[in-house]
Amino acid sequence: MSLSQLQALESAHVIPSYARNPVELVRGEGARLWDDEGREYLDFLSGISVLNVGHCHPAVVAAVREQAGTLTHTTNLFYTEPAMRLAQRLATSSLGGKVFFCNSGTEANEAALKLVRKAKPRGEIVVLHGGFHGRTYGSLSATTQESKQAPFAPLVPGFVPIQPTAGEVEAAVGEGTAAVLVEPIQGETGVHVLSDEFLLAARAACDRVGAALVFDEVQTGMGRTGTMWGYEQTPVVPDALTSAKALGGGLPIGALVTGPRLADVFAPGDHGSTFAGGPLAAAAANAAFDVLEDPELLARVRELGERLRERLEALPGTANVRGRGLMVGFDVADAPTVARRALLEQRLVVNATGPGTIRLLPPLVVSDEQLDDGVGRIAAVI
Ligand SMILES: *Cc1c(COP(=O)(O)O)cnc(C)c1O
């Protein structure tokens, strides 16, 4: 089918909740994508930080092929090895508690919200203006953005939005607080790294009242910032974190990971999901984990990130280059046009998070040459 035929099918039959680019992608490999006419693209978005291992990583492809021909689904009424192994790896690589599986980022945050409420009944959740946690009602209620929330009111009660300052978090957290939920680097709203001062104050405030500090690591996790988890480059350790996006190496899976204190808050029947932790997605995730936990790869992500930020800073027309590892944002005039021209004229996939910001999330397996090539293509459109 041609692109125009796909567009006709979309306008006739697909609920118009997405603004798609006029490109049909048919194949991917590493940091490269191809469209239906055989044109090659350089991918600096990775399906919004899903393909951290790159497109069609051979280890993930092999694991999926093997598992797809063996057993794809059982429900959680039974044991399967891929999920139990993945839970062990997730918990031991991070907070040392236990794992609840689900299928997406928003679901991981729903699980976290239910968990912290059960741990502190009727407790409030302190969240940040400009945060993003997903589209289902609990996560949306934690996403303090007027445009995303207003059409869907009334939202879930009990969320307290603040600015990410030490003073505001100290004032907002009290005996009635169940949790403070934040992204260590705000991704969807433009790659804003939370300050150490704020995070230390949030940690201290939570400790003072027995509230949980929860990090939404759906975007910052799985090596994106040059450590397996984003919190490792902050001065604090959260009580729980959420993961999804890159966790499945391209397949849908999410997880809530707790520290020891919150590990046994849920009891059988408290929460669940039919597909969660299924053997196919978990096998893909274990293969992705093998690739991403490599200390050499993580060190390279930190180096490449510095190189990328230096090169972007040197370009005329860029400002406020920021981020950690290969999670990078910069300001530029008319970012949506820059992103569109990058895609259609330079065959470079990037994303505008708003009118003035471009976000770059290349696969972590990107080569030096591809990184420089991408910066060259950006330079050509600004
Ligand atoms: C993408 C994202 C989500 C939502 O994940 P979905 O899989 O789209 O539900 C939540 N939190 C953060 C920080 C994200 O980047």
Side-chain angles (χ1 to χ4, degrees):
M1 259 186 239
S2 67
L3 177 62
S4 58
Q5 287 171 309
L6 298 181
Q7 287 170 322
L9 285 179
E10 183 195 39
S11 63
H13 301 296
V14 179
I15 289 177
S17 67
Y18 299 105
R20 282 176 226 273
N21 287 294
V23 173
E24 180 194 357
L25 296 171
V26 295
R27 190 163 71 85
E29 186 185 313
R32 295 179 301 165
L33 286 162
W34 286 269
D35 70 14
D36 58 324
E37 293 185 13
R39 287 178 295 225
E40 186 179 315
Y41 296 74
L42 187 55
D43 185 2
F44 269 29
L45 188 58
S46 309
I48 317 187
S49 202
V50 167
L51 278 312
N52 286 11
V53 296
H55 293 278
C56 297
H57 190 286
V60 176
V61 172
V64 168
R65 285 212 166 108
E66 169 67 22
Q67 192 63 48
T70 313
L71 182 71
T72 58
H73 178 72
T74 62
T75 75
N76 286 293
L77 299 171
F78 303 97
Y79 288 90
T80 56
E81 186 176 319
M84 297 306 129
R85 276 189 57 219
L86 181 62
Q88 178 193 29
R89 302 178 81 177
L90 279 168
T92 57
S93 75
S94 63
L95 307 179
K98 293 183 181 174
V99 174
F100 175 85
F101 287 117
C102 52
N103 312 288
S104 65
T106 198
E107 284 175 77
N109 289 323
E110 294 291 335
L113 295 170
K114 283 180 72 174
L115 186 94
V116 298
R117 277 263 169 84
K118 191 177 180 214
K120 199 152 189 202
R122 312 202 67 80
E124 288 182 330
I125 322 276
V126 175
V127 295
L128 298 182
H129 287 287
F132 180 83
H133 301 290
R135 307 289 195 148
T136 53
Y137 261 104
S139 301
L140 177 65
S141 303
T143 296
T144 316
Q145 294 177 46
E146 177 71 11
S147 62
K148 291 196 167 57
Q149 290 186 335
F152 306 105
L155 298 166
V156 178
F159 290 85
V160 180
I162 62 166
Q163 296 295 342
T165 67
E168 290 214 10
V169 76
E170 276 154 18
V173 173
E175 291 303 327
T177 305
V180 175
L181 169 64
V182 300
E183 303 156 84
I185 303 174
Q186 294 183 318
E188 292 308 297
T189 53
V191 190
H192 301 293
V193 181
L194 297 186
S195 72
D196 287 356
E197 191 199 4
F198 166 76
L199 292 174
L200 287 165
R203 180 69 276 177
C206 287
D207 289 344
R208 176 164 52 79
V209 300
L213 180 61
V214 182
F215 275 13
D216 178 344
E217 294 235 27
V218 169
Q219 198 163 140
T220 53
M222 297 303 286
R224 173 52 58 191
T225 67
T227 45
M228 196 62 180
W229 303 105
Y231 81 82
E232 295 172 61
Q233 292 177 71
T234 75
V236 303
V237 177
D239 299 296
L241 66 81
T242 54
S243 178
K245 288 203 163 105
L247 178 58
L251 266 67
I253 182 170
L256 162 67
V257 187
T258 76
R261 188 170 71 80
L262 297 172
D264 294 305
V265 171
F266 280 157
D270 277 340
H271 199 34
S273 156
T274 301
F275 283 116
L280 189 61
N286 277 311
F289 220 98
D290 290 339
V291 176
L292 297 175
E293 72 179 348
D294 174 6
E296 275 177 33
L297 177 106
L298 294 170
R300 212 180 121 68
V301 170
R302 297 194 293 274
E303 275 166 32
L304 286 175
E306 271 171 41
R307 179 187 177 115
L308 178 57
R309 284 189 293 278
E310 273 169 24
R311 295 228 182 332
L312 289 168
E313 267 161 15
L315 296 184
T318 64
N320 297 324
V321 179
R322 55 194 183 262
R324 244 174 222 153
L326 286 173
M327 180 169 183
V328 172
F330 63 90
D331 293 343
V332 70
D334 196 3
T337 301
V338 168
R340 197 179 159 82
R341 289 186 53 210
L343 177 72
L344 300 177
E345 295 170 21
Q346 295 293 316
R347 315 242 174 267
L348 174 74
V349 182
V350 300
N351 154 257
T353 59
T357 298
I358 295 284
R359 174 176 51 169
L360 305 179
L361 300 162
L364 308 187
V365 297
V366 69
S367 70
D368 294 20
E369 295 72 36
Q370 287 171 328
L371 201 80
D372 295 348
D373 182 5
V375 174
R377 297 187 200 197
I378 292 166
V381 291
I382 60 178

